[in-house]
Amino acid sequence: MTDPCFHCGLPVADGIHFPIRYRQSDKPACCAGCQAVAQTIIDAGLDGYYEHRTLDARRAEPLPTELVEQIRLYDAPELQHSFVHAEGDLREASLILEGITCAACVWLNEQHLKRQPGVISVDVNYASHRARVKWDSTRIQLSALLEAIAQIGYRAHPYDADRREKLAEQERKGQLNRLWVAGLSMMQVMMYAVPVYLDTQGEMSAEWMWLLHWASFFLTLPVVLYSAWPFYVGTWRDLRNRRAGMDVPVTVGVLTSFVASSWALFNHIDHGIYFDSVSMFVFLLLGGRYLEGMARRRAGDAGERLVKLIPAFTQRVADWPADRDTHMATVASVRPGEVLLVRPGETVPVDGEVLDGHSSVDESLLTGESLPQPKQVGDTLIAGSVNVASPLYLRATHTGESTRLAGIVRLLDQAMSERPRLAVLADRVSAWFVTTLLLVAVLTYAGWYMVDPERALWIMVAVLVISCPCALSLATPAALTAASGTLAGRGVLLARGTALESLAQITDAVFDKTGTLTWGDMQLKDQLVFDARVDALALAQGLEAGSEHPLARALLAAGGEPLRCTGLHSVAGQGVEGEFAGHRYRLGKPAFVATVAGEAPDALAGFGGNDSVIALGDAGGWIAAFAIGDRLRDDAAAVIAALRARGIRTHLASGDRVETAAAVAASLGIDQARGGMTPEDKLACVTALQQQGRHVLMVGDGVNDAPVLARADVSAAMGSGTDVARLSGDLVLVGNGLSPLVDALGIARRTRRIIRQNLVWAVGYNLVALPLAIGGWITPWIASLGMALSSLLVVGNALRLSGRTVGGKKGERGSVNQ
């Protein structure tokens, strides 16, 4: 046998010659498939993959003809409907990648796909192996992308939550099998080791003692050869790439302990046999990592829960409204415009509009709203919400990847694919620390060998084991993952992975008005009747019938039956006039009405405050006046008060009139207000604050807010806002309120505290434990227990962010209602 395959690591049989040209030298390959894949990677300029990967790739196999034909079927629009989001010629698909073994695999797939013509963006979530690919369908087809992934030795197919769960289950079973073998061995070996340790007076005969040692040796073999195998693979990859990872000290400790104990056993030396420490170390380490994995999956499963919300089947109404009979259909086959029936207890399969029925819908997983929301004819339904009370008939408006739920999942994937600065820094420190640790272990062995040669080896093993920097590398990502999952459950989506870091540092919050602090729709707020000879509101609605003006829509939405008016004539910028029952009336600005109705009544002065006022009158005089304005969000004042209580200065930057902006700011308690602002003015306002050294949060919803949302240190976009604003925001408030913003701020600050606690613990633990190990006060099995508990403590501390209550101090409660 010769060297292992350069690509997959499998042995290369004698006589096999498939050279891979890599950086001016030839590397061996085990087969033509690995040679072709490796050469594709290298020729594409992605040879850096082989420097940074931590595990070998799977053996490359040529694509079967049947698989190639199946891949090309994915170009059919009807097949893409359920997993591809289309916007004009642009397409975005959610794919699952098979064969991902390390971060370098993620990098390789991203870089290779980005170099394909027509590919706009690629983001791969390392935790779930889910990839988001966006491309121009006029330049490249989906099948070409899938084949490009296959060319570098991986497999891709449309994301299927069930299939992903099966793959994850296989991985968990493998971990459990290794853990079970290590645990069984540890218990048996400890049973044999205890009598040896207790026999201090030589009461046990030599034959029985050596029999116990040999039994321990054979029981430890499966642990060393099977259970600890993942550590060897990781170490081998680290050494080949000339880097020191966390598996290196583990492997050195396990193999050194086992080889030294075996040497003592074979040479019949009755001291220095510690098979029990080997099996216990591997068991505790595997157990710790398994529990860490469970905790991280629990903290980061928000996206997976959302993916699984959509049911596979639904009830389709074939001939609405003539016939309400239903038949079972797959959700993937539903098209916009079709009518569906959602029974009580069922999940809404698509975005739609209620056609018939009245019920309550639980949207808590999507918006964070804890109470079911009432739904009636004309209301919208969100895919993934649960119908609680009564049957609802809905007309599908968005399906598949076009639903709001699919957009939420895309945002989560985007956030999870970004690595925060603290996580990158912790990884760099860990790599440096491992190198230093290996040097310290060697020096410790040398020092103790001169003092007490019998203890030197075991003290070195304890140093290697107890100081493994697992906790340091977990400190930041564990907390960020838990926080992201908690926020998603409360109706706040992280669109950028660095948003929490920035949010915890903000000093100023700048709010847009319309659609942010207010609902963004005009409503009739007050009316003043001067003459009751006619139903003023019904007459005003009759005069505005058919108008699309926001003030007209506010009147029409006030309820009641409009009077039928004739001879309608609109005067641009002034109002409208028309006839009813032989009289001609005017509705519009007070000055427009005064030209026929005479001088305005004294009661009109000051009516409506800063709201828009329209009047109704005729030649006989003034009939009524209506105050129409935008309604403040119910929680706006509480949110502003909560921000100010945290020492955050608040600002209002609005394009509305200066007087209106000032009135809104005064009613809400906002520190500073500016009205009549253009998008350029808002951008300049935020820039000026940043130049003063302030950290700015911008909250908005409209197209004109997109530039300033992108410029702010951290931005929050209303979930009901435009697509452009949501794409520009670092956070997206999915529900219809601002309260989740306070949740996000509380969680961000608490996340920062927990990250600092984790880092302090990880560093402090090593500063205390390492001298104790060097001094010979800690045995290898105690060292392995300490290292496992240290990692679990870090993850457990991070999981506090997954709890219901947010905040530790009274001033840092997560909700304005708590």
Side-chain angles (χ1 to χ4, degrees):
M1 303 295 285
T2 59
D3 293 335
C5 175
F6 179 68
H7 179 70
C8 72
L10 293 177
V12 178
D14 293 331
I16 296 296
H17 186 63
F18 294 104
I20 301 170
R21 192 65 179 172
Y22 175 72
R23 297 187 177 179
Q24 312 304 318
S25 64
D26 288 336
K27 302 293 183 179
C30 63
C31 63
C34 285
Q35 181 192 43
V37 168
Q39 210 60 58
T40 299
I41 294 172
I42 295 169
D43 292 345
L46 302 174
D47 52 316
Y49 160 71
Y50 291 104
E51 291 184 11
H52 302 292
R53 64 177 182 171
T54 57
L55 290 173
D56 283 326
R58 297 189 310 179
R59 181 169 183 170
E61 299 177 356
L63 286 177
T65 304
E66 297 80 4
L67 184 57
V68 173
E69 293 177 353
Q70 180 182 350
I71 286 177
R72 290 174 181 167
L73 289 176
Y74 284 127
D75 292 334
E78 59 273 14
L79 197 58
Q80 292 186 5
H81 174 74
S82 61
F83 68 94
V84 175
H85 176 62
E87 293 181 4
D89 293 329
L90 298 183
R91 301 288 186 271
E92 184 175 5
S94 176
L95 306 173
I96 184 172
L97 297 178
E98 292 185 8
I100 298 292
T101 57
C102 62
C105 297
V106 172
W107 174 86
L108 175 63
N109 278 273
E110 288 181 342
Q111 296 301 316
H112 185 62
L113 285 176
K114 287 178 181 177
R115 298 187 182 195
Q116 304 303 312
V119 173
I120 297 171
S121 65
V122 182
D123 293 304
V124 180
N125 186 330
Y126 177 54
S128 64
H129 298 178
R130 186 165 63 240
R132 286 282 175 186
V133 186
K134 192 172 186 178
W135 72 94
D136 184 346
S137 61
T138 62
R139 299 183 59 194
I140 193 171
Q141 294 298 315
L142 177 59
S143 60
L145 297 176
L146 299 180
E147 290 181 18
I149 293 173
Q151 288 173 0
I152 57 174
Y154 299 85
R155 294 287 185 270
H157 51 78
Y159 186 83
D160 184 335
D162 291 336
R163 185 167 183 175
R164 168 60 189 158
E165 184 61 30
K166 289 178 181 178
L167 293 175
E169 185 62 27
Q170 290 177 1
E171 181 181 352
R172 285 194 291 270
K173 284 182 178 179
Q175 293 174 341
L176 277 175
N177 287 338
R178 296 182 191 278
L179 181 63
W180 177 82
V181 170
L184 183 62
S185 170
M186 179 196 69
M187 290 186 293
Q188 290 298 117
V189 172
M190 286 300 298
M191 288 177 60
Y192 299 149
V194 168
V196 176
Y197 288 146
L198 295 179
D199 183 31
T200 57
Q201 305 297 325
E203 298 175 355
M204 183 185 301
S205 65
E207 291 79 4
W208 282 107
M209 184 182 70
W210 286 107
L211 179 63
L212 293 178
H213 284 326
W214 277 105
S216 298
F217 167 77
F218 285 111
L219 286 170
T220 307
L221 273 177
V223 177
V224 176
L225 299 179
Y226 173 68
S227 296
W229 185 255
F231 305 127
Y232 306 153
V233 175
T235 300
W236 172 242
R237 297 284 66 80
D238 287 339
L239 296 179
R240 273 185 58 179
N241 295 316
R242 299 179 181 179
R243 58 188 296 269
M246 289 180 292
D247 288 329
V248 174
V250 173
T251 297
V252 173
V254 169
L255 293 182
T256 301
S257 303
F258 181 74
V259 171
S261 297
S262 300
W263 181 84
L265 176 65
F266 297 156
N267 289 276
H268 220 67
I269 300 174
D270 60 358
H271 60 268
I273 299 178
Y274 291 96
F275 292 118
D276 53 316
S277 294
V278 176
S279 58
M280 182 177 290
F281 170 45
V282 174
F283 172 76
L284 290 173
L285 186 58
L286 288 176
R289 291 195 176 183
Y290 180 76
L291 293 176
E292 289 165 13
M294 288 181 60
R296 282 182 287 181
R297 282 191 293 270
R298 173 190 162 193
D301 65 354
E304 297 304 307
R305 289 201 308 268
L306 291 176
V307 170
K308 296 176 182 178
L309 284 180
I310 300 298
F313 301 96
T314 186
Q315 295 288 334
R316 177 187 283 152
V317 181
D319 188 19
W320 175 272
D323 188 355
R324 298 197 176 193
D325 289 342
T326 63
H327 63 276
M328 189 70 70
T330 61
V331 173
S333 67
V334 175
R335 297 294 181 267
E338 293 184 335
V339 178
L340 308 176
L341 170 63
V342 182
R343 296 188 176 96
E346 293 181 346
T347 300
V348 178
V350 298
D351 289 352
E353 178 183 351
V354 178
L355 292 179
D356 188 26
H358 182 91
S359 184
S360 296
V361 174
D362 183 0
E363 299 176 346
S364 57
L365 281 177
L366 300 169
T367 67
E369 297 283 352
S370 58
L371 296 177
Q373 302 300 302
K375 297 293 180 180
Q376 57 187 357
V377 175
D379 288 343
T380 58
L381 294 172
I382 307 173
S385 55
V386 179
N387 184 17
V388 176
S390 305
L392 290 174
Y393 288 90
L394 68 91
R395 186 183 303 280
T397 55
H398 298 88
T399 61
E401 283 294 297
S402 299
T403 62
R404 190 176 182 185
L405 175 63
I408 290 173
V409 174
R410 285 195 294 272
L411 284 177
L412 281 175
D413 284 343
Q414 179 179 331
M416 292 298 182
S417 66
E418 296 183 358
R419 287 178 55 78
R421 291 184 296 272
L422 284 175
V424 175
L425 178 62
D427 284 349
R428 290 177 180 174
V429 172
S430 297
W432 172 84
F433 183 84
V434 168
T435 303
T436 304
L437 173 62
L438 293 174
L439 179 61
V440 170
V442 172
L443 294 176
T444 300
Y445 176 80
W448 273 97
Y449 189 80
M450 292 184 291
V451 177
D452 188 350
E454 293 183 359
R455 300 181 61 196
L457 178 64
W458 301 108
I459 292 175
M460 182 191 75
V461 171
V463 169
L464 288 170
V465 171
I466 202 167
S467 299
C468 183
C470 299
L472 184 61
S473 289
L474 287 171
T476 299
L480 291 175
T481 302
S484 300
T486 300
L487 284 174
R490 299 188 180 203
V492 181
L493 298 180
L494 294 180
R496 306 285 186 270
T498 58
L500 281 179
E501 294 179 76
S502 302
L503 186 61
Q505 302 173 13
I506 66 165
T507 59
D508 292 70
V510 180
F511 290 86
D512 176 46
K513 183 182 76 69
T514 305
T516 303
L517 293 174
T518 67
W519 287 97
D521 56 341
M522 306 298 284
Q523 294 183 344
L524 176 62
K525 300 175 70 175
D526 196 6
Q527 60 179 325
L528 187 61
V529 178
F530 305 114
D531 190 339
R533 55 191 164 92
V534 67
D535 187 339
L537 179 58
L539 177 58
Q541 291 174 333
L543 292 171
E544 292 286 16
S547 175
E548 291 299 323
H549 193 281
L551 298 181
R553 291 201 300 269
L555 283 174
L556 294 170
E561 186 68 27
L563 299 177
R564 184 178 297 276
C565 298
T566 59
L568 297 176
H569 173 64
S570 178
V571 180
Q574 298 297 319
V576 64
E577 57 183 7
E579 293 184 3
F580 174 73
H583 290 82
R584 193 154 188 86
Y585 298 92
R586 276 192 176 186
L587 176 71
K589 291 183 176 180
F592 175 61
V593 175
T595 58
V596 297
E599 186 177 352
D602 293 338
L604 191 61
F607 174 68
N610 288 288
D611 294 328
S612 298
V613 176
I614 58 175
L616 174 65
D618 63 358
W622 292 74
I623 299 174
F626 306 93
I628 298 176
D630 200 354
R631 181 168 56 91
L632 291 173
R633 291 186 184 271
D634 300 333
D635 57 356
V639 168
I640 297 299
L643 293 177
R644 296 184 65 185
R646 287 163 170 77
I648 297 172
R649 193 167 60 182
T650 54
H651 308 259
L652 174 61
S654 174
D656 210 336
R657 294 182 305 155
V658 174
E659 297 81 8
T660 303
V664 170
S667 65
L668 295 177
I670 294 177
D671 297 314
Q672 296 182 1
R674 293 178 60 186
M677 301 184 73
T678 64
E680 292 78 11
D681 293 334
K682 294 181 181 181
L683 191 61
C685 174
V686 169
T687 303
L689 289 172
Q690 291 173 326
Q691 289 173 347
Q692 298 171 18
R694 315 291 291 182
H695 295 275
V696 182
L697 163 68
M698 178 67 198
V699 187
D701 83 316
V703 173
N704 61 342
D705 294 324
V708 70
L709 285 171
R711 180 68 178 87
D713 296 285
V714 60
S715 56
M718 303 302 295
S720 57
T722 64
D723 291 337
V724 176
R726 289 197 295 270
L727 291 174
S728 302
D730 301 313
L731 308 171
V732 177
L733 307 181
V734 181
N736 291 320
L738 291 167
S739 296
L741 186 63
V742 184
D743 278 326
L745 179 62
I747 290 175
R749 291 186 171 183
R750 194 177 180 206
T751 300
R752 182 174 61 176
R753 289 201 305 271
I754 284 182
I755 288 175
R756 289 175 176 175
Q757 291 169 3
N758 284 350
L759 291 175
V760 168
W761 164 255
V763 174
Y765 161 78
N766 282 287
L767 290 177
V768 173
L770 190 56
L772 291 176
I774 294 174
W777 295 93
I778 296 177
T779 60
W781 76 268
I782 294 178
S784 59
L785 180 61
M787 187 202 63
L789 292 178
S790 175
S791 298
L792 289 176
L793 179 63
V794 166
V795 176
N797 190 36
L799 283 179
R800 292 195 296 132
L801 290 165
S802 300
R804 284 284 183 192
T805 303
V806 178
K809 300 178 182 178
K810 291 183 179 180
E812 298 238 329
R813 303 294 289 184
S815 172
V816 296
N817 298 320
Q818 288 180 328

